[in-house]
Amino acid sequence: MTASEIDRSERLHGLDALRAAALLLGVVLHATLSFFPAPIWIVADDQRSVWASGLFFAIHLFRMGTFFLIAGLFAHGLLNRRGVVGFAIDRLTRIAAPLAVFWGVILAAIVAVVIWNASLQGLTAADAPPPPKYDWTDVPLTHLWFLWVLLIFYAALLILRAAFGALDRKGDGARALDRLTAGLVGPWGPLVLGAPVAVALWLEPNWIAFFGVPTPDHGLIPNAAALVGFGTAFGFGVLLDRRRDLLGRIQAWTPACLGLALVVGAMALMLAGGPDPRLEPLTDPSIKAAAAAAFGVATFASVFAAVGLAMRFASGRSAVRRYLSDASYWVYIVHLPLVLTGQVLVQDWTLPWAVKLILVVSGVLVVSIASYELLIRHSFMGRWLNGRRVPWRRAPRPVLAPAE
């Protein structure tokens, strides 16, 4: 798409599809965990491979940074269209309410699968580790942590926007931000945007480099590296919405950003111990600094590349992509207990790990998309989660010939 083709009123189909892909790739990401060379997951399959951990690394490097950049861009657009009150109501309805409603159900389902797997392994309650404290510093947010972090970023957006508007009466600051945003678009942008992430990772105590930005899935206060890394992506997405014409420039720089992501991403992988993950924190200051810098640059280079590829190849209207975009939210909410169930079922099968991975991912997608079609899309829950309810198609009534 050219800059002139990107209008603020136009639905960004490419970014819509990319956001859906980021959520759906979460199914693949979690499904790979049982095949890691070293057991790190609730289910440990009898088939292990460094290719599984390598696939995890590649997805994890760009997935959530991409998601939060798109979330920031769409949030700013929604805020402009609906105003502060309308924005707050929409986000509370479609983000806060699903977190409140589904968190307990999903957690209970995960616990049930964990108990089932433990019984299959011959373990009893006496073998279980001590339970966590479950106070505000150790709330198990599970994979729904991103909803909580989104709410934090939305609140920050409203506060900062109000403060900036009060201070920038003449609009000079806004124009300066627009010029800054334009200056960050290019292969040098990941160097600048990745710098605060690199510093935050280097300062992170007990940082296991293979996992990049530590997932803030425990406690109501996210770790500093997650706030900085995902907050930088979200904030740049907000600024990018003010200059949607820059999406065309990002698309033009896609080959350079993709090459940078591949080279620096490979460096980050090697510094983290290679595809056979080193699961101990980095202690050597120089290696830790190099790994943190590589992760910061590779993260945003891969985000830019993903955005450019989506704008290039998925910007047209597509009924299939739109359906998957609508379904992806529900699929991600319900997928983790289903992934665990699939992993438990196939863990002892004498099949290659890649075949098991395909079976688990395919089964989860079939079940979750079927439940979306039957329970969500055409009901009030479709309007709740997606902002619209799609009515069931009715067969047209036959036209009766006039009686003779």
Side-chain angles (χ1 to χ4, degrees), residues 1 132 139 150 203 246 256 266 271 286 327 345 363 368 376:
M1 295 181 67
V139 177
L150 275 176
L203 294 174
L246 295 174
L271 289 167
S286 59
L345 290 174
S368 56
I376 308 299

Side-chain angles (χ1 to χ4, degrees), residues 27-342:
V27 179
V28 182
L29 183 91
H30 291 126
T32 63
L33 289 168
S34 62
F35 306 108
F36 266 48
I40 64 167
W41 187 235
I42 299 167
V43 181
D45 199 276
D46 61 0
Q47 301 294 319
R48 311 283 178 80
S49 174
V50 295
W51 290 99
S53 54
L55 178 59
F56 173 95
F57 181 89
I59 295 173
H60 188 62
L61 183 64
F62 79 95
R63 189 177 72 94
M64 292 312 298
T66 301
F67 174 86
F68 278 106
L69 183 144
I70 298 172
L73 189 150
F74 285 164
H76 186 265
L78 180 66
L79 182 56
N80 282 339
R81 290 194 306 273
R82 298 197 178 182
V84 173
V85 174
F87 175 83
I89 292 174
D90 182 90
R91 299 296 84 184
L92 289 173
T93 301
R94 296 178 58 191
I95 302 297
L99 175 61
V101 170
F102 293 117
W103 173 75
V105 177
I106 293 297
L107 181 60
I110 292 172
V111 171
V113 178
V114 170
I115 294 174
W116 172 43
N117 186 51
S119 67
L120 293 177
Q121 305 301 320
L123 302 176
T124 65
D127 302 307
K133 301 184 295 293
Y134 290 127
D135 59 18
W136 64 276
T137 64
D138 196 25
V139 177
L141 295 174
T142 70
H143 62 295
L144 301 183
W145 63 265
F146 79 105
L147 297 176
W148 177 250
V149 174
L150 275 176
L151 293 173
I152 295 173
F153 290 163
Y154 292 147
L157 172 61
L158 294 178
I159 294 170
L160 292 175
R161 186 174 184 266
F164 190 82
L167 295 173
D168 187 37
R169 297 291 186 181
K170 296 182 179 180
D172 294 336
R175 287 187 288 274
L177 282 177
D178 289 342
R179 290 192 295 271
L180 173 64
T181 306
L184 290 173
V185 174
W188 51 86
L191 303 177
V192 179
L193 294 171
V197 184
V199 173
L201 290 174
W202 188 75
L203 294 174
E204 185 73 24
N206 302 318
W207 178 49
I208 300 176
F210 184 85
F211 296 107
V213 177
T215 303
D217 56 359
H218 283 77
L220 299 182
I221 300 179
N223 63 76
L227 283 177
V228 172
F230 300 141
T232 300
F234 184 90
F236 186 72
V238 169
L239 296 178
L240 196 58
D241 184 64
R242 294 176 50 87
R243 291 289 310 273
R244 286 194 176 188
D245 59 295
L246 295 174
L247 291 171
R249 192 186 300 181
I250 291 177
Q251 179 182 324
W253 281 110
T254 298
C257 291
L258 181 59
L260 181 63
L262 292 174
V263 172
V264 184
M267 292 172 54
L269 179 60
M270 293 302 104
L271 289 167
D276 189 355
R278 181 189 301 153
L279 301 180
E280 302 88 20
L282 288 179
T283 56
D284 185 289
S286 59
I287 295 178
K288 184 178 182 182
F295 269 95
V297 174
T299 294
F300 281 96
S302 59
V303 169
F304 275 35
V307 170
L309 290 170
M311 297 299 297
R312 172 65 178 84
F313 295 105
S315 285
R317 289 177 173 85
S318 166
V320 173
R321 287 199 299 267
R322 182 62 192 274
Y323 184 93
L324 292 176
S325 295
D326 289 346
S328 62
Y329 190 13
W330 171 253
V331 171
Y332 193 78
I333 287 174
V334 301
H335 85 278
L336 192 52
L338 297 176
V339 167
L340 288 169
T341 300

